[in-house]
Amino acid sequence: EPEVTQTPSHQVTQMGQEVILRCVPISNHLYFYWYRQILGQKVEFLVSFYNNEISEKSEIFDDQFSVERPDGSNFTLKIRSTKLEDSAMYFCASSTGQISNQPQHFGDGTRLSIL
Amino acid sequence: GDSVTQMEGPVTLSEEAFLTINCTYTATGYPSLFWYVQYPGEGLQLLLKATKADDKGSNKGFEATYRKETTSFHLEKGSVQVSDSAVYFCALMFSGGYNKLIFGAGTRLAVHP
């Protein structure tokens, strides 16, 4: 069964540094998402992406965050200047379409640790 | 705003016990409802879903019924196994709006032999 793959599985970065988290969505999917889960808290929506544009973003997704689909297969999340509170598990997801009962498929996540 | 509330965990059961994990939602419309499961060290996997009132989702012995009158989507399993130990997330999604999922806090289930 096709999977969403995320790299790296664990990223350790100094505060203030830029970090790029990478995702390869399922190949025929058109809608892409990033979520995060701070340790012990709920999974929170960050951003959705379709047709090379951001479709929706949450209040968490401020100017320090950006997303890109640079080459038609990868989908990246960049944090420009990391803060301690950015430490979390980041999940990428993808889906085939906009209809509400199309499930989102998730990757195994990248654990981001900011020192 | 729209939200999902789950019973707090951890839930600790013996193998073959009956499982219920409560989930209620607050929504301005009629969302689709989902249960996702997260096994240790892994990502979120879709367990089951229901898209309209009175629908029952089922998978791997788990069931949940979409109850509009009580705005609930409780997860049940008749006989749990040690391998069911995981964190279970209830979530809702509306059509349109590019379908962001709104998750509950998650409920950790630990099943002992």
Side-chain angles (χ1 to χ4, degrees), chain A residues 63-76:
Chain A
D63 292 345
Q64 294 299 314
F65 290 88
S66 62
V67 289
E68 192 178 33
R69 188 157 163 80
D71 56 12
S73 61
N74 289 283
F75 179 51
T76 62

Side-chain angles (χ1 to χ4, degrees), chain B residues 6 10 23 33 35 42 45 48 52 65 81 92 99 101 105:
Chain B
Q6 289 182 237
C23 170
L33 300 173
W35 277 99
E42 298 185 14
Q45 299 176 28
L48 53 84
K52 61 184 188 297
T65 301
Q81 305 301 311
L92 66 82
N99 309 108
L101 282 160

Side-chain angles (χ1 to χ4, degrees), chain B residues 100-111:
Chain B
K100 68 181 178 187
L101 282 160
I102 297 172
F103 285 91
T107 302
R108 182 175 300 278
L109 170 66
V111 180

Side-chain angles (χ1 to χ4, degrees), chain B residues 30-43:
Chain B
Y30 300 103
S32 294
L33 300 173
F34 302 83
W35 277 99
Y36 278 82
V37 58
Q38 184 179 30
Y39 297 103
E42 298 185 14

